[in-house]
Amino acid sequence: SFVKEYMTSLDNNLRVDVINPQSEDATTLRQELMPNLLYVIKNNYDNGNKNFKLYEIGKTFRAINKPDEDFSGVTETRKISGCIFGHTNNELWNKKENADFYTIKGVLENLFEMLHLSKRIVFSPLKEDKKFMHPYHTATIELLGKNPINLGYVGKIHPVLKDKLKLNQDLFV
């Protein structure tokens, strides 16, 4: 689909095939959460829900080695993805503010504060190629320490993908 062509991190060499898939859409295990998140966003938008916040915690799968007696060859990683779309406050209020980069960054900062990690988190310019993300409205999230860990990214989806999804509002993930 058009979403998969923008997901540059999907790699056929890391694909985990399902032996007896239930449908043509479920022939492989997912490598990323973002394609599913975009599908849910598009479905909500097309059904009239133009203002929402959602997230998913789920597992991703990547084939990194050939299977043997001791190891399946597949890594399983728990990830979180989420989005903010449309107005950030209650529809009944007169003041309607649209979400922006700082809205979703603030949500993450609050999460890191609750986890007592805020002093170790750094937001910096995007360091990897995320073709589906806006290059100037996206940041990498790192956890500082002896060996810094790249936790992910936050930002606005690319305008081309926004147009392909036929969204007339900015989407922040």
Side-chain angles (χ1 to χ4, degrees):
S1 78
F2 60 87
V3 172
K4 286 185 181 177
E5 77 184 67
Y6 285 91
M7 301 301 293
T8 56
S9 60
L10 299 181
D11 185 345
N12 277 334
N13 296 325
L14 301 174
R15 188 180 73 216
V16 179
D17 293 320
V18 175
I19 294 172
N20 294 318
Q22 294 181 6
S23 71
E24 285 189 30
D25 292 338
T27 58
T28 62
L29 298 179
R30 63 186 178 180
Q31 294 178 25
E32 296 291 338
L33 298 180
M34 193 58 62
N36 188 55
L37 181 72
L38 292 174
Y39 173 79
V40 171
I41 291 162
K42 177 69 174 150
N43 190 32
N44 271 275
Y45 183 82
D46 288 348
N47 286 297
N49 190 358
K50 310 260 192 265
N51 306 303
F52 56 90
K53 302 169 194 162
L54 61 92
Y55 72 95
E56 175 187 8
I57 298 173
K59 293 182 179 179
T60 60
F61 304 87
R62 291 175 180 245
I64 58 168
N65 284 324
K66 296 270 186 213
D68 60 31
E69 296 176 4
D70 301 323
F71 179 56
S72 69
V74 176
T75 61
E76 187 176 312
T77 308
R78 186 177 306 274
K79 294 187 176 187
I80 184 169
S81 70
C83 77
I84 294 178
F85 190 68
H87 301 305
T88 58
N89 54 11
N90 190 319
E91 285 293 312
L92 300 176
W93 296 359
N94 291 332
K95 186 177 179 187
K96 295 183 179 176
E97 295 179 14
N98 285 327
D100 62 13
F101 174 82
Y102 298 102
T103 308
I104 196 159
K105 183 177 180 257
V107 169
L108 291 173
E109 287 171 336
N110 288 338
L111 174 64
F112 295 134
E113 182 72 34
M114 289 181 351
L115 297 171
H116 305 290
L117 294 173
S118 59
K119 292 180 178 153
R120 294 182 54 204
I121 297 295
V122 173
F123 293 88
S124 57
L126 192 62
K127 294 179 181 174
E128 56 190 296
D129 180 30
K130 296 283 185 200
K131 187 177 172 183
F132 58 93
M133 297 298 293
H134 194 295
Y136 304 113
H137 297 266
T138 304
T140 297
I141 307 165
E142 286 185 308
L143 177 65
L144 299 178
K146 197 174 204 176
N147 297 314
I149 300 169
N150 181 345
L151 296 179
Y153 55 91
V154 60
K156 181 163 74 169
I157 66 165
H158 200 284
V160 173
L161 180 55
K162 180 180 129 180
D163 290 345
K164 290 244 182 209
L165 290 168
K166 294 184 172 98
L167 304 175
N168 67 357
Q169 301 171 172
D170 289 329
L171 171 62
F172 297 89
V173 297

